Amino acid sequence: MALTFTEENYLKTIYMLLRQDAVVSTTALASAIGTTPASVTDMSGKLRDKQLVDYEKYQGLTLTPQGLKAALLIIRRHRLWECFLVDQLQFSWEEVHEIAEELEHVRSVKLTERLSHLLGNPRVDPHGDPIPDASGRIPRTVRENLLNVQDFKKLEVATVTDQSASLLKFLDRIGIRPGTRLDILERHDFDHSVEIRIRKRAPLTLSEQIAKHIYVRTITKAGGHP
Amino acid sequence: MALTFTEENYLKTIYMLLRQDAVVSTTALASAIGTTPASVTDMSGKLRDKQLVDYEKYQGLTLTPQGLKAALLIIRRHRLWECFLVDQLQFSWEEVHEIAEELEHVRSVKLTERLSHLLGNPRVDPHGDPIPDASGRIPRTVRENLLNVQDFKKLEVATVTDQSASLLKFLDRIGIRPGTRLDILERHDFDHSVEIRIRKRAPLTLSEQIAKHIYVRTITKAGGHP
DNA sequence: ATAAATATTTAGGTTTGTCTAAATTATAAC
DNA sequence: GTTATAATTTAGACAAACCTAAATATTTAT
Ligand SMILES: [Mn+2]
Ligand SMILES: [Mn+2]
Ligand SMILES: [Mn+2]
Ligand SMILES: [Mn+2]
């Protein structure tokens, strides 16, 4: 049964929210999609009928195996198109999310796989997010939030999880993008800000609101993207 | 006022049909879109309210200047994506129409113009159809139907106007695509078939049903695409 | 444990684009 | 010129996706 545009957006969003919590609430989903809780309740029933989500009244949503696979294939297309826009069309990383939101809905396996091949079968998108493979498998990545990571030295930016153009543009200007190496100098308890140093440059202070969107890994071998 | 997916398809189809006739009838449009005359009547009113078409009850449709420009920009995107699929992703010409039908609806001027640049600002798509420029201008091309063309010698295939995969595949196999040079050997009155020769190869007979989709130009200078 | 606050669902309605069936207008045939 | 045929429009209905307002359930606070 073919999915509609809207159903695809619901599945993708549910997947995103499930990375934070075990189940997704009606309200959280409504606010993420930009609709009302009442509409979400409506759609939840439809997605359950199509066996894409598990949903019981007042119990929130999770993805079924089918729903999960569908979500991962949408995300695969989204992230491949983001790579295409940056690598082939010289877009900057803050511009690509919006356009990829539309391109991701073009469902052609042949197109997706040839696009992947053209790009050299990339493993991560321009924001450092992993790209699921053609059957929807995604590597479980070890990355920790800049606010919580235990190690302070030899860190590398893995992912930036916010897609707003303004934040991405700001981070770009101060030199933070996937692959950037940095050390934590200090954490301040009073406002949870983080002081960091990128290579030999002057120290920078990142507010909690910014730092919470930055995920890092500790550099083990040669570094670079997974 | 942003156009919906459906409105874009209507405008594009109206443009296509207007190449044949001065006005488009409700029935012709319905059959081209794959819907009912009743639905077309409905949509015609909406498009008129948006000043995209001229439409009076029982009088058929034409495009307004605004509608024409919108149609040409959709066609620009369609044909550029077809080029991309063939040139960059090694699709064959009979596969690309269907996928381009979806990609054409992604409306981003920046995307369209960068895509065009990536492809070397092509003037024609893989089927030989001209690509409108960024402001919707399209060169008026001199091409005549294989069934009517006066000259018999030194012809070159300009365009193949059918998009069905089966016909395109067949033409590909017998060596007919935009740029192919051929001569007409004879026209048969009894069934309107056309006997042609491609370069030094054995003569071929094309039925009226096939020939009517083939447009040619007479080779003046060095040939090649316009 | 009860009350207050919050989350969720239900009910009823709107818009977009579609359909079928019936009514009307236009065109073709005699 | 009337009649038959074909094209087109109107009327009424439906599914998808959304909304607001009201009702109900759950959670939190006292
Ligand atoms: Mn994105
Ligand atoms: Mn991304
Ligand atoms: Mn096409
Ligand atoms: Mn084409």
Side-chain angles (χ1 to χ4, degrees):
Chain A
M1 197 182 328
L3 299 175
T4 66
F5 220 85
T6 310
E7 288 169 336
E8 286 199 337
N9 279 331
Y10 269 82
L11 292 177
K12 189 185 57 165
T13 309
I14 294 166
Y15 174 86
M16 296 300 190
L17 295 172
L18 283 175
R19 294 185 308 184
Q20 299 292 114
D21 306 282
V23 297
V24 174
S25 75
T26 303
T27 326
L29 186 49
S31 107
I33 286 180
T35 185
T36 60
S39 301
V40 169
T41 299
D42 218 58
M43 179 61 85
S44 298
K46 291 176 190 167
L47 293 174
R48 182 193 45 208
D49 293 348
K50 292 193 174 186
Q51 316 201 330
L52 295 164
V53 302
D54 286 320
Y55 166 71
E56 295 294 337
K57 267 192 192 184
Y58 294 104
Q59 299 312 120
L61 297 122
T62 50
L63 290 169
T64 63
Q66 280 175 68
L68 176 62
K69 178 163 186 188
L72 285 165
L73 291 181
I74 299 159
I75 288 165
R76 172 171 173 75
R77 296 193 294 264
H78 181 102
R79 292 181 179 164
L80 283 171
W81 281 117
E82 286 189 344
C83 288
F84 170 75
L85 293 170
V86 167
D87 295 355
Q88 309 271 315
L89 299 189
Q90 285 79 50
F91 277 84
S92 53
W93 75 336
E94 79 268 12
E95 300 173 298
V96 298
H97 181 73
E98 205 188 355
I99 298 174
E101 284 293 314
E102 305 198 35
L103 289 166
E104 71 187 1
H105 298 291
V106 177
R107 256 159 313 196
S108 159
V109 174
K110 197 163 186 177
L111 170 59
T112 308
E113 298 321 311
R114 295 224 174 161
L115 179 64
S116 175
H117 180 256
L118 173 73
L119 301 168
N121 298 309
R123 295 280 189 60
V124 293
D125 81 2
H127 310 99
D129 291 308
I131 298 175
D133 72 16
S135 48
R137 276 185 292 267
I138 195 167
R140 196 69 220 96
T141 46
V142 277
R143 49 185 65 168
E144 285 175 283
N145 198 280
L146 193 56
L147 291 170
N148 308 320
V149 61
Q150 290 304 313
D151 297 291
F152 271 46
K153 299 262 165 203
K154 294 206 175 216
L155 302 175
E156 184 185 65
V157 176
T159 316
V160 176
T161 61
D162 193 277
Q163 303 293 347
S164 78
S166 55
L167 175 60
L168 293 178
K169 207 160 191 166
F170 171 76
L171 292 177
D172 210 54
R173 202 169 62 242
I174 65 178
I176 291 182
R177 54 194 139 252
T180 300
R181 290 159 188 224
L182 56 84
D183 296 332
I184 294 178
L185 302 181
E186 206 172 345
R187 284 210 185 91
H188 297 298
D189 279 345
F190 45 90
D191 66 347
H192 303 103
S193 66
V194 187
E195 243 182 285
I196 63 164
R197 185 200 296 279
I198 299 173
R199 267 160 292 157
K200 308 289 172 209
R201 312 226 309 251
L204 278 170
T205 302
L206 300 177
S207 69
E208 183 186 13
Q209 285 69 34
I210 291 176
K212 74 176 177 193
H213 292 300
I214 300 172
Y215 284 76
V216 297
R217 71 171 77 79
T218 48
I219 302 173
T220 48
K221 279 268 175 157
H225 286 164
Chain B
M1 196 183 326
L3 299 176
T4 68
F5 220 85
T6 309
E7 289 169 335
E8 286 200 336
N9 280 330
Y10 270 83
L11 292 178
K12 189 186 56 165
T13 309
I14 295 166
Y15 175 86
M16 297 299 190
L17 295 173
L18 283 175
R19 293 184 310 182
Q20 300 291 115
D21 304 280
V23 296
V24 174
S25 74
T26 304
T27 326
L29 187 49
S31 110
I33 286 179
T35 185
T36 60
S39 301
V40 169
T41 299
D42 218 60
M43 180 60 84
S44 299
K46 290 175 190 167
L47 294 174
R48 181 193 44 206
D49 294 349
K50 292 191 173 187
Q51 315 199 334
L52 296 163
V53 301
D54 286 319
Y55 166 70
E56 295 294 336
K57 269 192 190 184
Y58 296 103
Q59 300 310 122
L61 297 123
T62 50
L63 290 169
T64 64
Q66 280 175 67
L68 176 63
K69 177 161 186 187
L72 285 165
L73 291 180
I74 299 159
I75 288 165
R76 171 171 172 77
R77 296 192 295 263
H78 181 102
R79 293 182 179 164
L80 283 171
W81 282 116
E82 286 189 344
C83 288
F84 170 74
L85 293 169
V86 168
D87 295 354
Q88 309 271 315
L89 300 189
Q90 285 78 50
F91 277 83
S92 53
W93 75 338
E94 79 268 13
E95 299 173 299
V96 299
H97 182 72
E98 206 187 355
I99 299 175
E101 284 293 311
E102 304 198 34
L103 288 166
E104 71 187 2
H105 299 290
V106 178
R107 252 158 315 193
S108 159
V109 173
K110 198 163 186 177
L111 171 59
T112 307
E113 298 320 311
R114 295 225 175 159
L115 179 64
S116 175
H117 180 256
L118 173 73
L119 300 167
N121 299 310
R123 296 279 189 63
V124 292
D125 82 0
H127 310 100
D129 290 308
I131 299 175
D133 72 16
S135 48
R137 276 185 293 266
I138 195 167
R140 195 69 219 98
T141 46
V142 276
R143 46 186 68 168
E144 283 175 283
N145 198 279
L146 194 54
L147 291 171
N148 308 321
V149 62
Q150 291 303 315
D151 297 293
F152 271 44
K153 300 263 163 202
K154 295 209 174 212
L155 302 174
E156 184 186 65
V157 176
T159 317
V160 176
T161 60
D162 194 276
Q163 303 293 345
S164 79
S166 53
L167 175 60
L168 292 178
K169 209 163 191 165
F170 169 76
L171 292 177
D172 210 53
R173 202 168 65 241
I174 64 177
I176 292 182
R177 55 194 137 254
T180 300
R181 289 159 187 224
L182 56 84
D183 296 331
I184 295 178
L185 303 181
E186 206 173 344
R187 284 210 185 95
H188 297 298
D189 280 344
F190 46 90
D191 67 347
H192 301 104
S193 65
V194 186
E195 242 183 284
I196 64 164
R197 185 201 295 281
I198 299 174
R199 266 160 293 159
K200 308 288 174 209
R201 312 223 311 251
L204 278 170
T205 303
L206 300 176
S207 70
E208 183 185 12
Q209 286 68 35
I210 291 175
K212 74 176 177 191
H213 292 299
I214 301 171
Y215 284 75
V216 296
R217 72 170 77 78
T218 47
I219 303 173
T220 46
K221 280 267 176 157
H225 284 166

